[in-house]
Amino acid sequence: SPVVAPPEPRARVIYTTHTIFMASLCATIASTRASPVVTRRDTRARRVVGAVNRVRANTVLVRAANAAQEADNQMRVKVLSEALPYLQRFAGQTVVVKYGGAAMKSEELKAAVIRDVVLLSTVGIRPVLVHGGGPEINAMLEKVGIEAKFLNGLRVTDAATMEIVEQVLTGKVNKSIVSLISCAGGKAVGICGKDGNLLRGEIKSEELGFVGRVTKVDATVIKNLVNGGYIPVVATVAMDKNGQALNVNADTAAGAIAATLGAEKLILMTDVPGVCTDKDDPSTLIRELTMAETEASIAAGTIAGGMIPKVQCCTTAVNNGVKSAHIIDGRAKHSLLLEILTDQGVGTVITN
């Protein structure tokens, strides 16, 4: 029956509060009756369903991981299969690698290059590593307060600078490379152009100071090391007839050593992908050049600037008995292996 509100204000407040409380209580009871009762059996069932779903999800993940692993294995087998004819062809052959530039700045890249060199040695190829060390020389010159000077891209080398160059190249840089090879499982011996009369030279220009041009190579010490199963690591410090140390361009030295050894390949690791028709566009990379095409490209200006001496170093080596010369990007991981052991390669190859 309808309820008549009390007339008094205080009674009205009490009545209102009571009404709200009763309404809330009735709603709570109704909600409880509407909700299903959760039993222990229901809880166990839910746990079982959750566990089954987790197992299914894990099974999907495991299958995906197995598929990815299988694809990776197939890729590795494909790479090894593609490399097989090159491994057979170059087994016992000498490959001279000029190592420098950006590939020596990054510790990660340095380690990758050294592992590749050790791998080549392990599979029967006979690598000879010739290195520069420009950044390290600059850092040491700055440390001792000597200003680095250059003329036409070549380091002006006075007596004080030559002393630093020899210390850095034959000491710090050379021995650090030897250590890395040893840690990677290879056997290396570090030498410079003075050792065994390897590199004789003469002063190239009075303006440049003790910058040398190679006049004679005696590769006996390198042959002995290679025949003994060692990887020669050569610092490019030569000497003149009076025993004066000379700073020799690493590209030039590597080319002269490769020619004397009759190497299968000369590989220059640089800071560019190779010879490009547009130096700023890697997609214009020229994969292969004959000697005639190389000369025509220089005459046409396609090959210009700092690439000219590198290309000329390659052509000189090829003209003097090296089977092929390669210019590759030392900044790219495993570029050395990709250039030697794959069909396409990664840089520019110059041949006869």
Side-chain angles (χ1 to χ4, degrees), residues 57-228:
N58 289 336
T59 301
V60 172
L61 291 175
V62 168
R63 287 176 179 172
N66 289 340
Q69 183 63 50
E70 179 64 23
D72 185 55
N73 290 339
Q74 290 296 327
M75 178 60 68
R76 293 184 182 189
V77 170
K78 180 177 181 298
V79 169
L80 289 173
S81 178
E82 183 179 323
L84 178 60
Y86 296 100
L87 293 173
Q88 293 171 327
R89 176 181 173 185
F90 300 134
Q93 300 297 319
T94 300
V95 174
V96 176
V97 180
K98 181 267 176 175
Y99 172 49
M104 295 184 72
K105 296 177 184 177
S106 163
E107 292 300 320
E108 183 181 1
L109 278 177
K110 189 186 296 184
V113 171
I114 296 305
R115 283 197 302 270
D116 291 350
V117 171
V118 172
L119 189 151
L120 292 175
S121 177
T122 302
V123 298
I125 296 172
R126 307 168 81 174
V128 175
L129 203 60
V130 180
H131 68 85
E136 288 83 358
I137 293 171
N138 291 339
M140 184 58 72
L141 288 173
E142 183 178 357
K143 189 174 182 179
V144 299
I146 299 176
E147 181 183 359
K149 298 178 182 179
F150 293 86
L151 180 64
N152 297 325
L154 297 175
R155 185 185 300 277
V156 177
T157 310
D158 58 16
T161 301
M162 186 65 238
E163 185 177 352
I164 297 298
V165 168
E166 185 169 10
Q167 289 175 1
V168 171
L169 290 185
T170 64
K172 179 182 178 182
V173 176
N174 188 269
K175 301 314 173 188
S176 69
I177 295 173
V178 170
S179 296
L180 287 172
I181 291 174
S182 298
C183 291
K187 297 193 303 180
V189 174
I191 59 176
C192 75
K194 288 182 173 183
D195 297 313
N197 286 320
L198 174 59
L199 296 175
R200 285 298 186 100
E202 61 185 12
I203 289 178
K204 189 171 186 176
S205 164
E206 293 296 333
E207 290 180 301
L208 293 170
F210 295 110
V211 173
R213 140 185 330 111
V214 176
T215 56
K216 184 180 178 181
V217 178
D218 183 348
T220 303
V221 65
I222 290 181
K223 292 177 182 178
N224 290 338
L225 289 172
V226 169
N227 291 336

Side-chain angles (χ1 to χ4, degrees), residues 232-284:
V233 181
V234 183
T236 53
V237 174
M239 68 177 182
D240 65 11
K241 60 183 180 180
N242 299 315
Q244 170 62 49
L246 299 175
N247 181 19
V248 179
N249 177 269
D251 292 342
T252 304
I257 291 171
T260 302
L261 291 171
E264 179 72 24
K265 293 179 180 293
L266 166 66
I267 300 179
L268 305 183
M269 301 188 77
T270 68
D271 296 344
V272 294
V275 178
C276 299
T277 55
D278 180 353
K279 64 182 181 64
D280 297 320
D281 184 1
S283 67
T284 64

Side-chain angles (χ1 to χ4, degrees), residues 272-279 281-282 284-289 294 297 302-304 307 311 327-328 347-350:
V272 294
V275 178
C276 299
T277 55
D278 180 353
K279 64 182 181 64
D281 184 1
T284 64
L285 175 68
I286 303 172
R287 294 286 182 181
E288 188 171 357
L289 285 169
T294 302
S297 295
T302 303
I303 299 174
M307 184 56 69
V311 169
I327 299 173
I328 66 174
T348 300
V349 56
I350 299 173

